[in-house]
Amino acid sequence: MTVTATASRKTLETEVVVNLNLDGMGKAVVSTGMALLDHLVSSMAFHAGFDLALSVSSPGFFSAHHAAEDAGIVLGEAFREAAQSSLAGVAPGIARFGDAAVPMDESLVLAAVDIGGRGCFRWDIPVEDRSTDGFECRLAGEFLKAFCSNAKVAVHLKYVWGSDPHHLLEASFKALAVAMREALAPAPNRTGAPSTKGVL
């Protein structure tokens, strides 16, 4: 199965480069210009078992919104390419679905993932209008929305409880990572695409 990919995107606002290995050791070097987003994406890679190098640079005025969104776009493109042979039905296939419940101190978040070829993102985490560590929490949602759309995966993140926005964001990214690791697990007895349609 092809599990590595490189993707890039250059606009008048940002330049993003991603190198991704889905079958890695969880090593990540992430530089988006936002320390907390770097931490969250690195944590996702670690718990999903991805090796990831992601860098964002801005030729002019730095826009946190554009940096977060464009980073999500390019990571999504790389993910889609890296998972392509399993999505195309090359044996062994993948489980396709995954879910996880991850606590972070007082916070608990549920994640469900479908690597099924259709992008969808549902974000039910009450941090949209909050900030933590100098980071606007809504930008985490923008990053994940862009990732899901371009990776063509369906992701649902559901708040159970919690109050600290930092903990809620960490629980969200870690829950997503664990669910993705489960969804990408090999399905040795599957010889076709993981769908009754025979194609994703």
Side-chain angles (χ1 to χ4, degrees), residues 113-178:
V113 171
D114 174 15
I115 304 176
R118 293 183 299 279
C120 178
F121 179 58
R122 294 297 303 272
W123 169 255
D124 177 35
I125 311 298
V127 295
E128 284 287 310
D129 299 322
R130 303 175 71 182
S131 296
T132 181
D133 304 302
F135 178 74
E136 295 181 49
C137 296
R138 64 179 179 80
L139 296 175
E142 293 297 328
F143 170 86
L144 291 171
K145 179 181 178 182
F147 168 76
C148 293
S149 177
N150 288 273
K152 299 190 183 302
V153 299
V155 170
H156 292 245
L157 293 172
K158 177 72 174 175
Y159 167 83
V160 179
W161 52 67
S163 56
D164 185 295
H166 185 126
H167 293 167
L168 285 166
L169 289 177
E170 278 215 51
S172 296
F173 276 72
K174 289 175 180 177
L176 173 57
V178 175

Side-chain angles (χ1 to χ4, degrees), residues 34 57 63 71-72 77 93 138 143 180 196:
M34 293 164 279
S57 58
S63 165
E77 290 173 347
R138 64 179 179 80
F143 170 86
M180 289 182 69
T196 55

Side-chain angles (χ1 to χ4, degrees), residues 6 10 15 29 40 50 60 71 84-85 88 92 94 115 117 130 171 183-184 193 198:
T6 297
K10 185 174 183 178
E15 184 170 356
V29 179
L40 293 171
F50 301 161
Q84 195 58 52
S85 55
I94 57 170
I115 304 176
R130 303 175 71 182
L184 285 166

Side-chain angles (χ1 to χ4, degrees), residues 2-8 17-23 51-53 74-84:
T2 301
V3 295
T4 61
T6 297
S8 62
V17 178
V18 169
N19 290 286
L20 176 65
N21 178 2
L22 299 181
D23 189 24
D51 287 344
L52 172 65
V74 182
L75 181 58
E77 290 173 347
F79 180 92
R80 178 69 177 174
E81 181 181 340
Q84 195 58 52

